[in-house]
Amino acid sequence: MRTALIKTGQGQPRHTSRASKEQQLIPDQEANLLALVEHIDGLVWSVDRNMQYIILNSALRKKIKDLIGVDASPGDKMLDLLALLDPTKKGEWEKIYEHALKGKSQRLLQKFILKDKPAFFDISINPIRNGNEITGLSCFALDVTEKITYDARLKASEAHFRTLIENSTDIIAVLNKEGEVIYGSPSIENQFGVSPQQYLNANVFHFIAEEDRAHAMEKFQEALKRPGKPLPVQTRTLRPDGSIGYVEGLVTNLLAKPEIQGIVCNFRDVTERVMAEEAQKQVDLKFRALIENSADLIMMANAMGQFTYGSPSVKKLLGWSGKDYLNKNVFCFIHPDSIPDATQLLGGLMQQPGKSFTIYLTLLHRNGKSVQVEGIATNFLHVPGINALVANFRDITERKKAQKRIHESENLYRDLFNKSPLPICVCDAISLKFLEANDAAVKHYGYSRKEFMNLSAPDLCMTDGLEELRALLHSGRKSTNQRLLRKQARKNGEIVYAEVISHMIIYKGRESFMILANDITEKVKLRHELMEEKIYRQKEIMKASIDAQEKEREEIGREMHDNVTQILTTARLCLSLAADDKEPKILINRSSDIIAAAIEEIRKLSKDLTQSYHRDVGLQLSLEDLTDSIRIASQLQVDFQFAIDDEYQLDDKLKMTIFRIAQEQLNNVLKHAKASSVSVSVVQEGDTITLTVEDDGKGFSMQEKRNGIGLLNIINRADLFNGRVKIDSAPGTGCRMTITFKPMSQLRPDFSGLSHVQ
């Protein structure tokens, strides 16, 4: 624990204003512990290795203030204050603390002289450890002065009573120093049935029960050593019939007196008294244990309304000791709010002796807190041995707090139910008739509350078949949190879709279903719209694909007709002329060269048509091959950047799409841009992949309508993988195309389960 130590210029601790100010400096996490220490029934303190107080509870501070007028506080030297309390104890306690700081806990009963009066304390001292280091001592003391004083008075009273009895003996015997009977009164024969002939000159220990014989001999030896000193003796005797009796008396060594010359024993038979005392002791112990260990308050007051008794639980429950309330008016610790009830109760008790009254009161704890109690009060003023008003209370503070919390909880959940924006209703588990509904449910379905409460769950559903609906609701018995998607009807006939969850609850003592309905009508409509848009997209993609194929066929046909066919026609003409030529070899060689040129044109055309992404090669190498081919075949300067850490983690179809888009846009640049340079980059940042193709060509106006299908192909391909295409261009500024591919989960809404809507 931490404490605030305020020191003077000499380095000595000085007192703060009050303990409450010190405690305000303690961190919040220690507040509960300090509160517990403050209210412990006893004196609590802890010291560091310098014997300076770390903490003192309010009871100890008050004790020190009352005795020596000092406001003790953390940082004060404990031994200095002890010297002021009892100067004789300082040296002894230095040794006690030194011993405890070596790691040994101690429990001791200490006597102090406080204001010239003895005081007794039951003290416990325990080391405070931080790991293997002892940093201080934790101490607890309980004032047991009243108990010890009471025990002393009780012993004195018992000794006085025993003396009266022992000097009114019925049996007198005189023994010699060997313990032989040299005289016995006639009562010996009356009490034990032993004649003088039998006990005279007989050893007295033969008449003592074997279990007490050793103790009796010790007493006898003690009497021999202490002449003239009467020694009380109580022992069990052995009678001739074998029964055991109890005797008590005085043994006095008068051997030195010439007129006696013996040890005088004065006894009386106390068998009945001992047996009765033992029985009464057991009864007293039982009832004392019941009262002292009871959590209930037991209090007694006289006819003047003054307390005459309070059980120990008064101290435990209310913090008041007997001196605080005994002989004081019963209203001294009744809360002002309960005084009218207490006054009425007291009047009723006085008017109706013997009648018990049930009472509910609020009492005041010593620390000012309220304690709520209930109990029974009865007027026993007329009963001898009691002569008091008796009240038995029990603390119901926690019960009241629990009832308040339950009430607040009920209000909270009632508000959550009634004010929830989701429709919530409760229906009977058997009939499915609505038992309760919140305002959102009534409003959602378009009924008045009275109309709604006359409906049952099937009245809201489009599904035919009561058993099917009941089976769906009964899934709530299993606590699976299964979401049921249902088609429902409002009062005006409008169809709505709802996501329904049912739970089995006990409502007003009967099994019921609590049904939560989340309106997903807009969600379902959106799904349908998205599906229609998807179908439209698919049609557009198919149309674009067909257009691309037709365009590609047209280009192949044109290339074959305008180039390859003309070359082959020339070769055929040369071969036909060679048949009539005198030197056909020249024409044949010419035809061979022309055919070779045609083959090269076909090879080039084939390469342009088949150049694509290769899975085994990978995206990066495929794009490098594409850009190298463009760089070699044209005067265009091509820059290529690729920044993907591990392209093999990407889907092959996505890589194919990226390649085709790059290929399409580069073809557009070659055909239309009239650019001198173009840059291609593929960069990955987190889960996002960005493809950028930028040229320095002539550009175009974004507002002009374009009839080509190349851009549409790019957009459709990107859309397949949630790609978003952005084009920035203007006449004379070139063109920059950016395609961003994001993870599918970021863009696609989840409509799982909507296909099950009924």
Side-chain angles (χ1 to χ4, degrees), residues 433-717:
K433 182 176 176 60
F434 288 123
L435 305 176
E436 187 59 80
N438 67 353
D439 294 339
V442 174
K443 181 179 179 181
H444 177 70
Y445 293 105
Y447 294 92
S448 67
R449 176 167 292 278
K450 183 177 180 181
E451 291 173 337
F452 192 89
M453 296 310 294
N454 289 325
L455 300 176
S456 62
D459 295 330
L460 300 179
C461 298
M462 301 297 294
T463 303
D464 296 329
L466 182 61
E467 292 304 320
E468 179 186 0
L469 178 61
R470 184 177 285 110
L472 291 173
L473 290 176
H474 274 60
S475 65
R477 293 180 184 269
K478 304 175 183 177
S479 299
T480 59
N481 290 326
Q482 180 181 359
R483 296 172 181 265
L484 311 174
L485 304 175
R486 310 295 296 169
K487 185 189 292 184
Q488 299 178 330
R490 290 177 172 163
K491 179 181 179 180
N492 60 7
E494 179 185 356
I495 302 301
V496 294
Y497 296 90
E499 186 179 56
V500 179
I501 302 176
S502 66
H503 298 280
M504 174 61 69
I505 64 172
I506 303 299
Y507 180 76
K508 295 184 178 180
R510 59 204 291 187
E511 285 192 347
S512 306
F513 294 114
M514 183 175 71
I515 305 172
L516 291 83
N518 182 19
D519 187 356
I520 59 170
T521 305
E522 294 301 321
K523 191 175 181 181
V524 172
K525 290 180 179 179
L526 177 61
R527 172 183 174 272
H528 291 160
E529 291 174 0
L530 289 175
M531 290 181 67
E532 290 175 359
E533 182 181 353
K534 183 176 181 182
I535 293 172
Y536 173 76
R537 285 278 188 179
Q538 292 293 339
K539 289 180 179 180
E540 289 294 313
I541 291 172
M542 184 177 294
K543 181 177 180 299
S545 178
I546 293 172
D547 291 344
Q549 289 176 2
E550 291 299 323
K551 181 180 178 182
E552 191 172 31
R553 288 191 183 98
E554 181 181 345
E555 289 180 353
I556 293 172
R558 185 185 305 112
E559 189 68 24
M560 294 294 290
H561 178 271
D562 295 344
N563 193 6
V564 177
T565 301
Q566 299 302 323
I567 293 173
L568 291 176
T569 300
T570 303
R572 186 179 67 175
L573 178 61
C574 289
L575 288 175
S576 64
L577 293 175
D580 300 328
D581 198 296
K582 294 179 180 181
E583 294 183 3
K585 185 177 180 180
I586 296 174
L587 291 174
I588 292 172
N589 290 338
R590 177 66 176 171
S591 298
S592 177
D593 292 339
I594 293 172
I595 291 171
I599 292 172
E600 178 62 25
E601 287 295 327
I602 293 172
R603 187 193 67 79
K604 182 179 178 182
L605 178 61
S606 176
K607 182 178 180 181
D608 289 341
L609 292 173
T610 59
Q611 186 176 31
S612 65
Y613 162 76
H614 300 286
R615 179 183 300 176
D616 296 335
V617 174
L619 178 60
Q620 182 177 0
L621 293 178
S622 296
L623 288 172
E624 287 178 352
D625 184 56
L626 174 63
T627 55
D628 288 344
S629 299
I630 294 173
R631 190 181 297 111
I632 293 170
S634 67
Q635 298 299 319
L636 194 63
Q637 179 182 346
V638 183
D639 293 328
F640 175 63
Q641 179 186 2
F642 189 88
I644 296 179
D645 294 336
D646 186 4
E647 70 167 87
Y648 295 102
Q649 298 295 324
L650 301 179
D651 183 83
D652 285 334
K653 293 181 180 180
L654 173 61
K655 291 190 282 187
M656 172 68 80
T657 298
I658 293 173
F659 178 85
R660 287 300 186 195
I661 292 174
Q663 186 182 45
E664 181 74 31
Q665 182 61 9
L666 287 173
N667 285 335
N668 290 336
V669 172
L670 289 172
K671 292 179 181 179
H672 309 295
K674 296 182 180 180
S676 60
S677 65
V678 63
S679 64
V680 180
S681 67
V682 181
V683 179
Q684 181 177 11
E685 294 182 357
D687 293 336
T688 302
I689 297 175
T690 304
L691 167 65
T692 305
V693 180
E694 184 175 5
D695 67 75
D696 60 355
K698 64 179 182 179
F700 57 89
S701 174
M702 299 291 294
Q703 283 74 34
E704 292 182 2
K705 181 178 180 181
R706 309 191 68 80
N707 297 322
I709 63 172
L711 182 58
L712 182 60
N713 275 338
I714 290 173
I715 293 174
N716 288 336
R717 287 182 184 274

Side-chain angles (χ1 to χ4, degrees), residues 13-135:
R14 62 184 179 84
H15 303 299
T16 58
S17 61
R18 287 301 299 168
S20 60
K21 181 181 295 184
E22 300 160 3
Q23 294 171 358
Q24 292 173 2
L25 302 177
I26 299 174
D28 292 341
Q29 60 266 33
E30 299 175 2
N32 290 337
L33 180 58
L34 288 177
L36 176 62
V37 169
E38 283 295 304
H39 303 310
I40 286 179
D41 184 15
L43 310 179
V44 181
W45 73 96
S46 63
V47 296
D48 58 21
R49 297 189 68 90
N50 297 322
M51 300 304 164
Q52 288 182 311
Y53 282 117
I54 300 175
I55 58 172
L56 318 82
N57 71 345
S58 58
L60 179 57
R61 294 194 302 271
K62 183 177 184 303
K63 177 70 72 174
I64 294 173
K65 177 69 174 179
D66 292 344
L67 292 172
I68 60 175
V70 174
D71 291 321
S73 64
D76 290 345
K77 288 284 188 178
M78 182 272 177
L79 294 175
D80 293 341
L81 292 177
L82 182 62
L84 295 175
L85 291 168
D86 187 345
T88 65
K89 290 293 182 178
K90 182 174 181 180
E92 178 183 357
W93 271 82
E94 286 180 348
K95 295 179 180 179
I96 291 173
Y97 277 145
E98 288 174 1
H99 187 65
L101 286 171
K102 293 179 181 178
K104 296 184 179 180
S105 299
Q106 299 188 60
R107 176 79 180 272
L108 60 156
L109 181 66
Q110 283 277 300
K111 178 181 178 181
F112 295 87
I113 302 301
L114 304 177
K115 290 188 176 181
D116 299 327
K117 293 183 180 180
F120 297 88
F121 293 88
D122 184 3
I123 303 173
S124 297
I125 304 174
N126 296 285
I128 300 174
R129 300 179 185 273
N130 184 5
N132 295 326
E133 180 184 1
I134 298 176
T135 60

